[in-house]
């Protein structure tokens, strides 16, 4: 008897990464930011998305990626976005610093 293993296609992997990015920026991080103990400088989903995508692009994201960004990310960008979200959630990177850099790129600091 032959046993077949299902493998994820590249599009399945990409869909998984995008889904993770959206869950973390739209739900997980805003929920964490609303807690009384949070010292995060932002609380809204679009702010987390701005910070993560600007960091991934090393500049204003919409100068590099068509809108809506989640539909136009490359695989490496999606991978990096998910990695960065996980690092923010784990407290391994400084969200305040990333926010200040994002605002600097946008001329708002």
């Amino acid at each position: 008897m032959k046993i077949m293993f299902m493998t994820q296609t590249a599009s399945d992997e990409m869909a998984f990464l995008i889904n993770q990015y959206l869950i973390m920026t739209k739900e997980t991080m805003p929920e964490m930011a609303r807690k009384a103990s949070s010292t995060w400088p932002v609380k809204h989903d679009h702010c987390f998305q701005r910070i993560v995508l600007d960091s991934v692009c090393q500049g204003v994201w919409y100068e590099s990626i068509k809108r809506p960004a989640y539909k136009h990310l490359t695989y490496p960008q999606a991978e990096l976005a998910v990695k960065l979200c996980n690092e923010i959630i784990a407290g391994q990177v400084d969200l305040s610093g990333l926010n200040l850099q994002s605002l600097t790129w946008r001329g708002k600091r």
Side-chain angles (χ1 to χ4, degrees), residues 26-71:
K26 287 185 171 190
E27 298 172 21
T28 307
M29 290 192 278
E31 184 178 304
M32 291 175 71
R34 286 190 292 270
K35 293 186 178 176
S37 61
S38 175
T39 58
W40 283 357
V42 297
K43 302 211 180 313
H44 302 289
D45 59 354
H46 63 275
C47 296
F48 290 109
Q49 291 172 352
R50 168 185 55 83
I51 292 165
V52 170
L53 292 177
D54 282 1
S55 296
V56 166
C57 294
Q58 292 295 290
V60 180
W61 70 264
Y62 51 78
E63 293 176 356
S64 303
I65 303 170
K66 287 185 191 178
R67 296 173 195 235
Y70 75 94
K71 288 186 178 183

Side-chain angles (χ1 to χ4, degrees), residues 8 17 45 77:
Q8 281 190 316
L17 287 172
D45 59 354
Q77 288 170 329

